[in-house]
Amino acid sequence: MELFIYLFAALFSVLNPIGTVPIFVGLTQDDDKKERSRISLWTAINVFVILIISFFLGEYVLSFFGISIEALRIAGGIVIATSGFSLLTGNFNKKRGVNKKVESDAQKRNDIALTPLAIPMLAGPGSMSLLIAFYHEHHEISEIVISVLAILAVAVSIFIVLRSAHYLAKILGASGIVAISRIVGFIVIAIGVQYIISSFITIVKNNLQ
């Protein structure tokens, strides 16, 4: 249960679907409820597929390119911490590659569930590196099952948040969403810093042995 809660909380914080609410509202403001539900569902499905692929195949990709798990953790920690700083400073959309031009182009497309919603807004390098490093440490059958369930729970949460985005935007308002994003941002920074510190400690220990 602790493993499930840890991975769910870490992924939910890094993906930050609450911070995606204003963008989702802007991109779907001309759509009806049925279309918003469809986009929300397919965004969640796309994120789930991307995260599952990262979880199971990411380590093999690292091996192919000769990248050590510690290097990934440090790089992932930097990316995660940078995302956290972006949330704190209000530049999250630009850091995720969603600027005015991208948003305008997205509104002209029929389906935005894959891009820009699933990629790069939700499933980005931070969440992918987090899962790859997590799989390296937890690859027992029971741990894999729990991890997949945690990823599924995150995907379901994304669907619920996006499905309720227009209501959340009205209830929380711009200031409420910003406040939540900044709190999440602080947590995300802590996760990134912890990854970097743990990697350096492991490297030092390996060199001393």
Side-chain angles (χ1 to χ4, degrees):
M1 190 63 181
E2 289 182 6
L3 190 67
F4 176 90
I5 294 173
Y6 170 80
L7 183 57
F8 176 84
L11 277 177
F12 191 88
S13 298
V14 173
L15 269 66
N16 186 32
I18 299 293
T20 309
V21 166
I23 305 301
F24 182 86
V25 170
L27 293 176
T28 60
Q29 58 186 347
D30 297 326
D31 297 325
D32 56 25
K33 289 184 178 180
K34 184 178 180 180
E35 179 64 10
R36 291 172 188 167
S37 296
R38 188 191 70 82
I39 294 173
S40 300
L41 177 61
W42 277 106
T43 300
I45 292 173
N46 289 332
V47 169
F48 177 76
V49 171
I50 293 167
L51 295 182
I52 287 293
I53 291 173
S54 300
F55 182 68
F56 284 105
L57 301 181
E59 192 168 6
Y60 298 102
V61 174
L62 291 184
S63 299
F64 180 80
F65 287 103
I67 302 172
S68 69
I69 191 66
E70 302 309 327
L72 174 79
R73 283 178 181 149
I74 293 173
I78 293 171
V79 172
I80 292 170
T82 301
S83 298
F85 278 115
S86 300
L87 287 171
L88 284 174
T89 58
N91 296 322
F92 181 73
N93 297 337
K94 294 180 181 179
K95 292 293 182 180
R96 285 295 182 96
V98 185
N99 51 31
K100 291 291 184 181
K101 184 178 183 303
V102 175
E103 186 173 344
S104 176
D105 291 343
Q107 288 176 327
K108 297 175 183 177
R109 286 190 245 135
N110 291 328
D111 197 349
I112 58 174
L114 181 59
T115 55
L117 290 177
I119 301 176
M121 287 181 61
L122 290 166
S127 58
M128 293 177 187
S129 59
L130 187 153
L131 284 172
I132 294 171
F134 193 85
Y135 178 82
H136 183 78
E137 296 178 351
H138 306 89
H139 45 260
E140 298 293 333
I141 297 298
S142 59
E143 293 174 330
I144 289 175
V145 172
I146 292 173
S147 300
V148 170
L149 290 176
I151 295 171
L152 178 60
V154 170
V156 172
S157 299
I158 289 172
F159 169 71
I160 293 172
V161 170
L162 294 184
R163 179 65 183 82
S164 310
H166 286 259
Y167 301 105
L168 290 174
K170 292 178 182 178
I171 295 172
L172 297 175
S175 59
I177 292 173
V178 168
I180 292 174
S181 294
R182 288 183 176 175
I183 293 171
V184 172
F186 183 78
I187 297 173
V188 170
I189 292 173
I191 292 172
V193 171
Q194 182 61 52
Y195 262 71
I196 295 171
I197 292 174
S198 299
S199 300
F200 277 118
I201 290 174
T202 302
I203 291 172
V204 171
K205 285 182 177 179
N206 291 337
N207 289 332
L208 290 177
Q209 290 178 352

